[in-house]
Amino acid sequence: MERAAYLHAVMKKSVLVGIDLGGTFIKFGLVSTNGQIIFKSSVPTPKGRQAILGEFVLITEFLRQMAQKQGLRLQAVGVGSPGIVNADTGKIIGRSPNIPGWQGAEVGKTLTKATRLKISVDNDANVMALAEHRLGSGKGFSSGLYITVGTGIGSGIILDNRIWRGAHFAGAEIGHTIIEKNGKPCKCGKCGCVEALAATSAFIEYYGSKTPESGGVKYIFDRAKKGDAKARQAIAIAADYLACGIGSALELLNPEVIVIGGGIAAGGAGYLQAVRQGLKKYASASCRQRVVVKSAKLGNDAGLIGAAMLTQDTH
Ligand SMILES: [Zn+2]
């Protein structure tokens, strides 16, 4: 190779692949090393462990070719996955109810062998937390609790600018902390979890149980804006339960920022305000007064950006 061609090759700008595995779609994209999306797309999630792993390889090869055409060099691949993930080996070690058969998948090993690239894998809530911490609402804070409120409640904890995973990668699950003894059954098998009392289905139930009309999250927020007292009450109940869970987390962690995302948080400032109000009851002044409660900034892109950023993270 001529020296000029050689220099051109080594000087190529590096890019990353981010893959965000969900129960319905796999979102993926090419992301710059500072977290900007260069290209993004999605495919329906295929059924079965091998089919999903095969899809990851196809996505990576597709993006590698795309990068090459743009004169970019693919450096690493990051994957965010539901379930408990061993971030050291990239293996799915816990159940992920929305993706049957996924437990046991050797994501790290399979992709390393197939692509010869550096592969990083972590829990989807952890990578979302990382994205918001680096580029979103948590930027500038060294510690934070990042919560996504949707059909489930996922969360990630950043302490001293690093993801806190727990000794066995099973930590940071605010959704499954119990806030009501012998309360409503949760999908995890326990009762009275934050998820059972504050996620989408509970929220809709608080509205539906008081009126024959029933609607989705957006409908309830629209009704609240129009002055529907029952809708406002449903928002207040769901927000109060979430605040109860967050209150205990504040006592334990004393983070600088709480970032809340997902379908319900997107409903508006009224929800966040109700969470802040609730915290006055559930957290002592010393850990509550200076905490900043914000809505998430990166929306649906947080998963793939965070997955890509994970490859730059040393742990
Ligand atoms: Zn639970």
Side-chain angles (χ1 to χ4, degrees):
M1 192 188 273
E2 280 178 41
R3 181 164 166 78
Y6 157 76
L7 279 179
H8 180 73
V10 293
M11 296 291 280
K12 267 185 184 176
K13 212 171 161 189
S14 293
V15 280
L16 311 164
V17 167
I19 299 177
D20 176 19
L21 174 64
T24 317
F25 286 100
I26 301 172
K27 295 182 197 128
F28 59 90
L30 270 183
V31 180
S32 71
T33 48
N34 60 2
Q36 303 306 308
I37 295 176
I38 297 162
F39 168 84
K40 69 173 179 176
S41 190
S42 64
V43 287
T45 305
K47 289 204 171 16
R49 188 192 299 174
Q50 289 312 321
I52 294 171
L53 290 171
E55 197 75 32
F56 286 175
V57 175
L58 283 177
I59 287 169
T60 305
E61 288 311 322
F62 169 71
L63 292 175
R64 195 201 302 256
Q65 283 174 27
M66 179 180 278
Q68 268 166 6
K69 278 180 199 156
Q70 295 184 31
L72 303 165
R73 188 177 66 85
L74 199 56
Q75 188 188 68
V77 180
V79 179
S81 164
I84 299 173
V85 180
N86 182 325
D88 293 336
T89 63
K91 184 178 179 177
I92 312 301
I93 55 173
R95 218 165 58 89
S96 49
N98 292 331
I99 305 177
W102 188 233
Q103 183 174 357
E106 296 271 13
V107 184
K109 267 189 199 164
T110 309
L111 288 191
T112 304
K113 201 174 160 197
T115 69
R116 298 285 159 205
L117 290 163
K118 183 193 171 209
I119 310 293
S120 304
V121 192
D122 205 342
N123 170 266
D124 50 2
N126 286 353
V127 303
M128 278 188 239
L130 186 65
E132 288 289 341
H133 167 67
R134 291 274 182 84
L135 299 142
S137 294
K139 203 173 168 184
F141 298 96
S142 66
S143 62
L145 174 61
Y146 297 80
I147 305 169
T148 306
V149 186
T151 50
I153 294 187
S155 60
I157 296 170
I158 303 282
L159 293 179
D160 297 332
N161 294 308
R162 295 166 77 98
I163 298 171
W164 171 258
R165 299 181 172 90
H168 306 106
F169 307 100
E173 286 285 359
I174 197 173
H176 300 288
T177 54
I178 292 174
I179 50 170
E180 203 163 82
K181 190 181 167 189
N182 301 320
K184 200 177 163 201
C186 181
K187 276 181 272 180
C188 73
K190 298 185 296 184
C191 292
C193 293
V194 175
E195 181 168 302
L197 294 159
T200 310
S201 59
F203 176 59
I204 291 169
E205 201 183 296
Y206 300 140
Y207 182 67
S209 63
K210 292 178 183 63
T211 166
E213 288 176 84
S214 182
V217 169
K218 193 179 174 305
Y219 173 79
I220 299 170
F221 276 104
D222 284 347
R223 294 292 304 166
K225 274 183 202 131
K226 286 175 183 146
D228 182 341
K230 287 167 191 162
R232 288 184 173 173
Q233 203 183 350
I235 294 168
I237 296 169
D240 192 66
Y241 274 124
L242 185 69
C244 185
I246 293 173
S248 300
L250 287 188
E251 300 286 355
L252 274 178
L253 302 168
N254 186 205
E256 294 171 275
V257 67
I258 306 277
V259 176
I260 305 174
I264 296 182
Y271 178 77
L272 278 193
Q273 196 47 40
V275 172
R276 285 190 197 100
Q277 272 303 114
L279 288 178
K280 290 182 182 168
K281 286 186 284 181
Y282 302 119
S284 56
S286 51
C287 61
R288 179 214 344 126
Q289 276 172 340
R290 281 185 289 172
V291 73
V292 180
V293 181
K294 298 171 86 175
S295 55
K297 194 175 164 189
L298 304 174
N300 287 332
D301 292 334
L304 76 91
I305 294 173
M309 291 294 94
L310 188 66
T311 65
Q312 313 268 285
D313 209 40
T314 47
H315 67 271

